[in-house]
């Protein structure tokens, strides 16, 4: 466990103690057929049903003894603190975005909101019409040209996926710079929470990555698997860049808690946006893998002779599983891939069949809709705890995507 505080994640499959979730809210109600693509969704969700499904997901974790922290509650409490409030709004209200004639009025509008309203609009966005219900129209070209129902501040529906903007690795947290514009503002919220919320302020943990300062060198939590034993598996994907992996590796190696990183080169496609959409862990030696993923080029990275150096070994695609096993100190790993035809496999990957969340070794939470994968896991000795995902699953993220462990035992 982390000697400096209560937080730390030391494996993918050890007993889960504390987790961060975000219950869907206003931001999903503002998802429309016209803006869903820009906001990185493939469909428009029925929000009330999605909330009910998410509540059940949270309850299942609580029934397993997991402490559940809700993101909106953490953000609200952080924003009540003057330093966090100023930090977040300073980074949102930029005259290069809003124009010098409107930025001060908009900032003042948000400064005047009570904590509940402020939190709702920071996550759910705000329209020009809603702004004008609070202040007189600024004498600004940039503001005036907006239609009444245009967003002045866009909603952040991807906050549902708490896995990505921050990731705990051993005794520290990586606050991640995000690849897509629709998600970049999420990082600011996590910076405010981890720096100032009483739960985390002075918590004695490392900060492996400080957030927005990483800019285009992006790493997202869905591409990070904490293998355990000082090893981390990283997917270089549509969202995580090799440059981001190198920067994170430097920080982790300097901290002395991680000694080996295996990086996989994924195809840069929407369907495989993160490693955990196609490959996750169920126990210390077992991976759940999508049939269509195949074998990938991989790279083993270890510390070099100085903090600015790293040693790298590249592996041919057929050596992928061997490279992962070696990082775990094993002769081999067990890879579970459900036996089904190519069309059924593609459907279940789309429905996050491989996106399992381990709550302890050999026990995983999955969507009930992935019948074939769930049955296959059970036949192979994995205990499967099903949650409803008929509506949540349409957002293209499963139980692992929707959860950010902040305390988890080693395997």
């Amino acid at each position: 466990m982390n000697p400096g505080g209560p937080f730390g994640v030391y494996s993918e499959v050890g007993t889960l103690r504390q987790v961060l979730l975000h219950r869907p809210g206003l931001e999903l109600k503002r998802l429309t057929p016209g803006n869903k693509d820009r906001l990185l969704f493939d469909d428009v969700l029925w929000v009330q049903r999605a909330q009910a499904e998410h509540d059940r997901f949270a309850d299942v974790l609580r029934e397993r003894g997991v402490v559940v922290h809700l993101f909106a509650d953490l953000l609200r409490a952080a924003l009540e603190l003057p330093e966090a409030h100023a930090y977040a709004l300073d980074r949102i209200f930029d005259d290069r975005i809003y124009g010098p004639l409107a930025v001060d009025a908009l900032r003042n509008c948000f400064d005047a909101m009570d904590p509940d309203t402020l939190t709702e609009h920071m996550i759910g966005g705000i329209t020009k019409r809603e702004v004008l219900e609070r202040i007189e129209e600024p004498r600004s070209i940039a503001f005036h040209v907006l239609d009444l129902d245009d967003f002045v501040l866009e909603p952040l529906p991807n906050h549902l996926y708490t896995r990505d903007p921050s990731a705990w690795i051993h005794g520290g947290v990586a606050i991640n710079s995000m690849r897509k514009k629709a998600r970049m503002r999420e990082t600011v919220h996590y910076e405010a929470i981890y720096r100032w919320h009483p739960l985390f302020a002075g918590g004695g943990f490392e900060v492996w990555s400080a957030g927005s300062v990483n800019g285009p060198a992006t790493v997202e939590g869905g591409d990070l698997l904490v293998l355990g034993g000082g090893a981390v598996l990283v997917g270089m994907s549509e969202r995580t860049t090799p440059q981001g992996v190198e920067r994170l590796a430097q920080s982790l190696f300097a901290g002395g808690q991680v000694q080996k990183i295996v990086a996989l080169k994924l195809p840069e496609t929407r369907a495989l946006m993160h490693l955990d959409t196609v490959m996750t862990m169920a126990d210390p030696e077992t991976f759940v893998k999508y049939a269509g993923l195949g074998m990938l080029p991989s790279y083993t990275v270890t510390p070099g002779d100085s903090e600015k150096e790293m040693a790298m070994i590249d592996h041919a695609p057929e050596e992928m599983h061997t490279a992962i096993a070696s990082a775990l100190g094993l002769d081999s790993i067990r890879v579970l891939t459900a036996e089904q035809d190519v069309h059924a496999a593609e459907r279940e990957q789309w429905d996050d069949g491989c996106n399992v969340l381990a709550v302890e070794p050999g026990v995983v939470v999955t969507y009930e809709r992935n019948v074939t994968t769930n049955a296959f896991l059970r036949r192979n000795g994995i205990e499967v705890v099903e949650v409803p995902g008929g509506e949540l699953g349409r957002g293209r993220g499963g139980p692992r995507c929707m959860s950010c462990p902040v305390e988890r035992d080693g395997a």
Side-chain angles (χ1 to χ4, degrees):
M1 303 304 291
N2 183 4
F7 306 112
V9 170
Y10 297 90
S11 73
E12 279 296 307
V13 298
T15 300
L16 183 60
R17 306 289 182 181
Q18 299 188 67
V19 71
L20 176 57
L21 308 180
H22 176 57
R23 187 177 190 267
L26 175 64
E27 67 284 355
L28 276 184
K29 294 178 182 178
R30 292 186 148 165
L31 201 62
T32 70
N35 67 24
K36 66 177 178 61
D37 292 337
R38 184 175 77 251
L39 296 176
L40 309 180
F41 272 69
D42 294 300
D43 206 347
V44 177
L45 280 64
W46 177 10
V47 179
Q48 185 176 10
R49 178 63 58 83
Q51 289 172 329
E53 292 176 353
H54 194 273
D55 290 343
R56 180 58 192 147
F57 174 47
D59 285 343
V60 163
L61 295 179
R62 293 186 183 105
E63 290 163 6
R64 289 270 170 175
V66 181
V67 176
V68 173
H69 303 285
L70 294 178
F71 167 77
D73 293 344
L74 297 182
L75 182 61
R76 182 184 301 106
L79 292 173
E80 290 184 28
L81 303 172
E83 299 90 344
H85 182 103
Y87 181 88
L89 295 188
D90 284 348
R91 277 146 188 79
I92 290 170
F93 291 105
D94 185 326
D95 66 8
R96 294 168 298 179
I97 297 172
Y98 294 100
L101 302 179
V103 68
D104 289 342
L106 294 173
R107 169 64 184 267
N108 291 340
C109 174
F110 272 66
D111 273 329
M113 293 178 183
D114 64 78
D116 287 342
T117 304
L118 177 62
T119 303
E120 181 176 56
H121 287 300
M122 292 275 278
I123 300 171
I126 195 167
T127 64
K128 178 177 178 178
R129 187 187 303 275
E130 290 168 331
V131 169
L132 293 178
E133 291 171 355
R134 296 179 169 275
I135 62 172
E136 292 186 9
E137 181 167 347
R139 294 182 179 275
S140 158
I141 300 170
F143 188 88
H144 186 73
V145 298
L146 295 174
D147 292 335
L148 276 174
D149 293 310
D150 283 349
F151 285 109
V152 176
L153 190 69
E154 291 244 312
L156 297 173
N158 291 281
H159 258 319
L160 175 62
Y161 306 119
T162 57
R163 175 68 58 165
D164 300 320
S166 73
W168 288 80
I169 304 169
H170 287 240
V173 64
I175 309 171
N176 298 322
S177 177
M178 307 297 283
R179 186 74 176 269
K180 299 290 187 177
K181 181 179 179 181
R183 301 201 67 177
M184 290 178 178
R185 210 172 74 239
E186 294 177 40
T187 300
V188 174
H189 295 168
Y190 279 88
E191 290 177 273
I193 287 170
Y194 287 127
R195 293 185 189 186
W196 288 287
H197 191 284
L199 186 66
F200 298 105
F205 51 83
E206 300 288 342
V207 177
W208 305 126
S209 174
S212 305
V213 294
N214 290 290
T218 58
V219 173
E220 299 193 4
D223 283 315
L224 294 168
L225 275 66
V226 181
L227 296 176
V232 174
L233 182 64
V234 183
M236 296 182 293
S237 66
E238 182 193 62
R239 307 289 177 87
T240 292
T241 67
Q243 296 87 341
V245 172
E246 288 185 8
R247 286 171 62 90
L248 179 61
Q250 276 191 326
S251 179
L252 290 171
F253 292 157
Q257 297 185 35
V258 172
Q259 292 80 42
K260 186 173 291 187
I261 291 173
V262 177
L264 306 178
K265 182 66 177 77
L266 278 79
E268 293 188 23
T269 65
R270 165 71 175 161
L272 280 63
M273 72 185 85
H274 290 130
L275 175 60
D276 70 3
T277 64
V278 287
M279 191 171 182
T280 50
M281 290 184 75
D283 71 29
E285 301 181 5
T286 302
F287 290 78
V288 182
K289 182 181 175 186
Y290 166 50
L293 179 62
M295 302 291 276
L296 303 172
S298 57
Y299 307 84
T300 297
V301 185
T302 52
D305 295 330
S306 72
E307 287 192 5
K308 291 191 175 181
E309 295 179 320
M310 288 180 281
M312 185 189 75
I313 302 172
D314 63 318
H315 307 281
E318 61 270 19
E319 299 172 334
M320 170 183 161
H321 293 170
T322 303
I324 296 171
S326 177
L328 282 164
L330 302 171
D331 293 331
S332 62
I333 57 174
R334 182 170 69 145
V335 179
L336 299 181
T337 299
E339 299 168 358
Q340 51 191 327
D341 68 55
V342 65
H343 306 293
E346 187 174 355
R347 280 176 56 86
E348 291 213 351
Q349 189 273 332
W350 184 264
D351 291 336
D352 297 287
C354 295
N355 191 256
V356 305
L357 171 67
V359 290
E360 60 184 82
V363 182
V364 298
V365 180
T366 71
Y367 281 151
E368 63 186 2
R369 65 192 295 168
N370 294 307
V371 175
T372 303
T373 299
N374 293 348
F376 182 77
L377 294 179
R378 290 188 176 108
R379 288 198 301 273
N380 282 275
I382 305 300
E383 181 181 342
V384 177
V385 181
E386 295 181 342
V387 295
E391 206 61 34
L392 285 174
R394 292 165 65 189
R396 298 300 322 284
R400 189 180 192 273
C401 292
M402 294 189 297
S403 56
C404 175
V406 298
E407 184 187 2
R408 188 196 280 278
D409 295 351

